[in-house]
Amino acid sequence: QWGLFGQIWPAGRVLAESLCSMDLSGRRILELGCGLALSSLMLARRGADITASDNHPLAEQFLAYNAGLNQLPMPVYRDLPWLDSGAELGQFDLILGSDILYEREHAAILAALLQRMSTATAEIIISDPGRGNGGRLITALAAVGFGVIETRIAFSADDSAPFKGRLLHFRRPAVC
């Protein structure tokens, strides 16, 4: 799977671009399945409190190398198998992921992890290129109180409407 891991995917670029103007002050942020960690590195450049995570054995080395190439300090990195509790990491205010729904069973696994790792007011942003599993995540997170705003978006210059790719932005309703 070397060729699949060592490249920037369109979903990663879309996620990073969507975060460029987001207010990050006071937010603890987690990137799941960071791969080459484009979003984590961009957020680190902006001074965010970012933790990059993956379970690929080379992810941390790639992150260190890419941070160095971009003259950035190494962001916090944690190996995080999605079936683990993640309890040692605590909870996060913003959780990100790009193209992490590539297997049918990932939606249920991720929904459980996201529920455990998110604060009561957390936002979750998933960049989904449309592999057919996004609806499962929407349903699983709705069952635990998250609403979703779905934005269809081009993932490449030659995409045409209606777009297959989308940004999924999850939040729980505000509690009075």
Side-chain angles (χ1 to χ4, degrees), residues 112-133:
L113 179 68
L114 290 165
Q115 184 179 8
R116 289 190 306 271
M117 300 200 75
S118 61
T119 63
T121 58
E123 293 179 68
I124 300 166
I125 302 174
I126 306 295
S127 176
D128 175 26
R131 296 185 190 278
N133 297 309

Side-chain angles (χ1 to χ4, degrees), residues 80-124:
L80 181 61
W82 295 342
L83 290 172
D84 284 4
S85 74
E88 71 282 358
L89 298 178
Q91 293 186 314
F92 294 85
D93 306 300
L94 177 60
I95 303 175
L96 313 169
S98 64
D99 200 1
I100 57 177
L101 296 167
Y102 44 87
E103 299 288 341
R104 183 178 180 90
E105 67 275 2
H106 285 172
I109 292 167
L110 282 166
L113 179 68
L114 290 165
Q115 184 179 8
R116 289 190 306 271
M117 300 200 75
S118 61
T119 63
T121 58
E123 293 179 68
I124 300 166

Side-chain angles (χ1 to χ4, degrees), residues 32-154:
L32 294 172
C34 69
L36 297 181
L38 178 62
S39 291
S40 290
L41 291 169
M42 185 273 297
L43 292 172
R45 179 164 309 280
R46 291 187 59 205
D49 178 4
I50 178 72
T51 298
S53 71
D54 205 305
N55 190 229
H56 192 283
L58 297 175
E60 187 173 16
Q61 290 174 291
F62 270 82
L63 178 57
Y65 181 75
N66 288 329
L69 285 177
N70 288 282
Q71 300 168 344
L72 292 168
M74 172 70 172
V76 173
Y77 175 82
R78 296 292 180 259
D79 181 74
L80 181 61
W82 295 342
L83 290 172
D84 284 4
S85 74
E88 71 282 358
L89 298 178
Q91 293 186 314
F92 294 85
D93 306 300
L94 177 60
I95 303 175
L96 313 169
S98 64
D99 200 1
I100 57 177
L101 296 167
Y102 44 87
E103 299 288 341
R104 183 178 180 90
E105 67 275 2
H106 285 172
I109 292 167
L110 282 166
L113 179 68
L114 290 165
Q115 184 179 8
R116 289 190 306 271
M117 300 200 75
S118 61
T119 63
T121 58
E123 293 179 68
I124 300 166
I125 302 174
I126 306 295
S127 176
D128 175 26
R131 296 185 190 278
N133 297 309
R136 289 177 184 83
L137 182 65
I138 292 169
T139 300
L141 286 177
V144 293
F146 283 92
V148 66
I149 297 173
E150 178 180 335
T151 306
R152 295 282 176 169
I153 189 167

Side-chain angles (χ1 to χ4, degrees), residues 158-171:
D158 58 344
D159 281 357
S160 57
F163 301 120
K164 185 175 159 186
R166 58 198 173 163
L167 278 174
L168 303 173
H169 190 156
F170 298 92
R171 284 189 177 175

